[in-house]
Amino acid sequence: MAVEHDLRSNSVFAPPEDDPSAWQASVETFRDALERAFPDAFLETNTSSPRDVPVLDFAIEVAPDVFVSGTAAMPAPDYAHVSVIDVTAHAAALFARWLRDSYVPSPAGVRFLSSFVMENGDETPWPLPATGDATEIEAVLRSHLAAAE
């Protein structure tokens, strides 16, 4: 019997390793996309102290009563990642679907990794499904978490 994983973890989404500039992302374009999709978003541009790069901290409601907060680091066209913090697979999947379908230029251009899996010794990112709804993405995220057991 499969075990459901409702644990909370941090998830990181990034472009494909073989094409880190695939998103052609910037803090400004990400901010604009969040503002359009989530008019009530909390958005704050800061400077990451460890790397001295611009980051966008955000908090959004991805579905009624489902909130996601995170940080986007996109200091150069060839470097980008978005972290969502302390989320369930369900909330991460809702965010990932928006990211894949509304921000990145190619739905095949997103990979992810969770802090739970990294803490268990696996630092290999998984590809986000290029198609499917949030339920299908959630199933992949749950499989990712289960692989760490």
Side-chain angles (χ1 to χ4, degrees), residues 8-19:
R8 301 179 80 78
S9 184
N10 300 335
S11 293
V12 177
F13 301 94
E17 188 172 16
D18 62 345
D19 188 8

Side-chain angles (χ1 to χ4, degrees), residues 18-34:
D18 62 345
D19 188 8
S21 64
W23 291 5
Q24 290 297 300
S26 71
V27 168
E28 294 79 18
T29 62
F30 192 70
R31 177 187 200 92
D32 292 346
L34 285 173

Side-chain angles (χ1 to χ4, degrees), residues 5-7 87-94 134 137-138 141-142 145:
H5 294 276
D6 286 326
L7 63 91
V87 292
T88 63
H90 175 71
L94 292 169
I137 294 171
E138 182 178 348
L141 293 173
R142 288 185 183 279
L145 294 170

Side-chain angles (χ1 to χ4, degrees), residues 127-149:
L128 195 69
T131 61
D133 63 13
T135 302
E136 293 171 273
I137 294 171
E138 182 178 348
V140 171
L141 293 173
R142 288 185 183 279
S143 293
H144 171 77
L145 294 170
E149 294 186 327

